[in-house]
Amino acid sequence: MDTSTSLAKDNWILQAQRPENANITILFISDVRLDDERTLKGLRTLFEQAVDADVIPKIFVFCGNFTGTPVGNDIEMDNYKDSFTALGDLVAEFPSIRTSSHFLFVPGPGDPWSSDVLPRRPIPPAFINRLQAKLSKRAIFATNPCRVKFMGQEIVIYRHDLMGKMMRNLVGVKPDLESADLKRYLVQTILDQVHLSPLALTIQATSWEFDHALRLYPMPTAVVLADSYEPYELTYEGCHVFNPGSFLTNNYGFSTFYMATSRSMPGGLQSFRI
């Protein structure tokens, strides 16, 4: 037994549970379609509320798709790049957020140059160099899936419309099966197989060279299954799993993960109207 590792983990847990660290959070937003003006308006309101309440997340995790339309020609590529620049301009208007938070971007299945093979590569630098210049080293563009290790905890983030794909490939689903049962079935399947892609390779191709990036062993603290499906959160075998849902179609919804409790809480801008 590696006692040094165990003691280090225990120390991180105790630190996370200290009263002064109770508000250390990671905020997850999915389907951040930057080409839709409603998204930036919603994010502005979210930032304003965070600053007014003096509860600024340590990390903002933005999951794709970052566009709601296909990107193919030069004009569409320029628009895609401009949308990230606009987000950088928005963040720059909130100095307390820009200087105290980090920003993690996880590509979605509909983002350009995103292969159907898992894991997916980060968004190419050519599209986000202006955003990175505005946010210095605080903007991180990750693969899909990716992992965040912070305060002794590991959080796996996976952006994929997995519920729909699982349902399309199930055999013999009961017609009266409730939504809660479907969510539990999905979570149990993922965690019992300790793999983010429990489907056959003919349905979801994976790169053998990087298959280890999809494995869930040892079990992480939490798994974010960012999906266009409705939001949920549940804990199975000690692992907390949640889906923040789509930002625009879910009352500008998001999920907040609290480091002190290793649990998430759904949120939204229900009173916000465009």
Side-chain angles (χ1 to χ4, degrees):
M1 177 180 178
D2 188 349
T3 55
S4 61
T5 301
S6 298
L7 290 173
K9 183 176 181 180
D10 290 343
N11 288 336
W12 275 117
I13 293 174
L14 291 174
Q15 181 177 335
Q17 292 175 344
R18 290 176 181 173
E20 63 269 26
N21 294 331
N23 289 328
I24 294 181
T25 61
I26 302 177
L27 191 140
F28 294 86
I29 312 175
S30 187
D31 271 346
V32 185
R33 299 189 175 183
L34 297 174
D35 58 335
D36 191 320
E37 64 177 9
R38 296 175 300 166
T39 297
L40 290 179
K41 290 181 179 179
L43 290 176
R44 176 182 294 278
T45 299
L46 180 61
F47 293 161
E48 290 172 347
Q49 292 182 357
V51 172
D52 291 343
D54 195 25
V55 181
I56 298 175
K58 199 68 175 177
I59 306 173
F60 285 89
V61 179
F62 298 109
C63 298
N65 302 320
F66 294 108
T67 178
T69 57
V71 178
N73 57 44
D74 290 344
I75 294 178
E76 292 166 345
M77 284 188 263
D78 287 340
N79 291 338
Y80 188 74
K81 183 174 184 177
D82 290 342
S83 65
F84 282 103
T85 304
L87 176 60
D89 292 337
L90 175 61
V91 174
E93 295 181 29
F94 299 88
S96 58
I97 292 178
R98 181 174 59 83
T99 58
S100 61
S101 297
H102 288 80
F103 306 88
L104 176 63
F105 295 83
V106 182
D111 282 302
W113 299 276
S114 180
S115 170
D116 290 334
V117 179
L118 296 175
R120 293 185 170 93
R121 296 180 180 275
I123 295 172
F127 294 100
I128 41 85
N129 51 12
R130 290 183 296 192
L131 171 62
Q132 288 180 313
K134 293 177 181 294
L135 300 183
S136 186
K137 296 181 180 180
R138 292 187 171 272
I140 301 168
F141 287 81
T143 59
N144 180 19
C146 65
R147 297 166 191 259
V148 172
K149 292 185 178 181
F150 182 49
M151 299 187 76
Q153 302 182 50
E154 183 180 55
I155 304 168
V156 176
I157 306 165
Y158 181 36
R159 172 63 184 97
H160 195 65
D161 292 332
L162 190 56
M163 179 66 83
K165 181 163 285 190
M166 289 282 287
M167 289 298 297
R168 288 192 298 271
N169 292 280
L170 283 177
V171 178
V173 180
K174 296 179 180 179
D176 58 345
L177 199 63
E178 296 183 357
S179 177
D181 296 325
L182 291 173
K183 298 167 187 173
R184 180 163 292 278
Y185 169 77
L186 174 63
V187 170
Q188 288 180 338
T189 300
I190 294 286
L191 296 186
D192 286 347
Q193 296 193 27
V194 292
H195 201 280
L196 288 170
S197 184
L199 298 164
L201 292 177
T202 53
I203 298 172
Q204 177 59 66
T206 61
S207 170
W208 285 109
E209 184 180 1
F210 299 105
D211 184 74
H212 61 274
L214 303 172
R215 298 171 194 164
L216 298 175
Y217 182 84
M219 190 77 76
T221 308
V223 175
V224 184
L225 296 179
D227 198 317
S228 58
Y229 191 70
E230 63 187 56
Y232 61 85
E233 67 277 339
L234 60 91
T235 301
Y236 178 70
E237 297 293 336
C239 181
H240 186 66
V241 183
F242 62 98
N243 170 30
S246 295
F247 186 57
L248 289 180
T249 60
N250 181 42
N251 292 321
Y252 300 91
F254 52 86
S255 290
T256 304
F257 185 83
Y258 292 86
M259 301 304 300
T261 61
S262 302
R263 294 294 181 267
S264 68
M265 181 177 294
L269 304 176
Q270 287 87 352
S271 60
F272 177 60
R273 295 290 182 271
I274 295 297

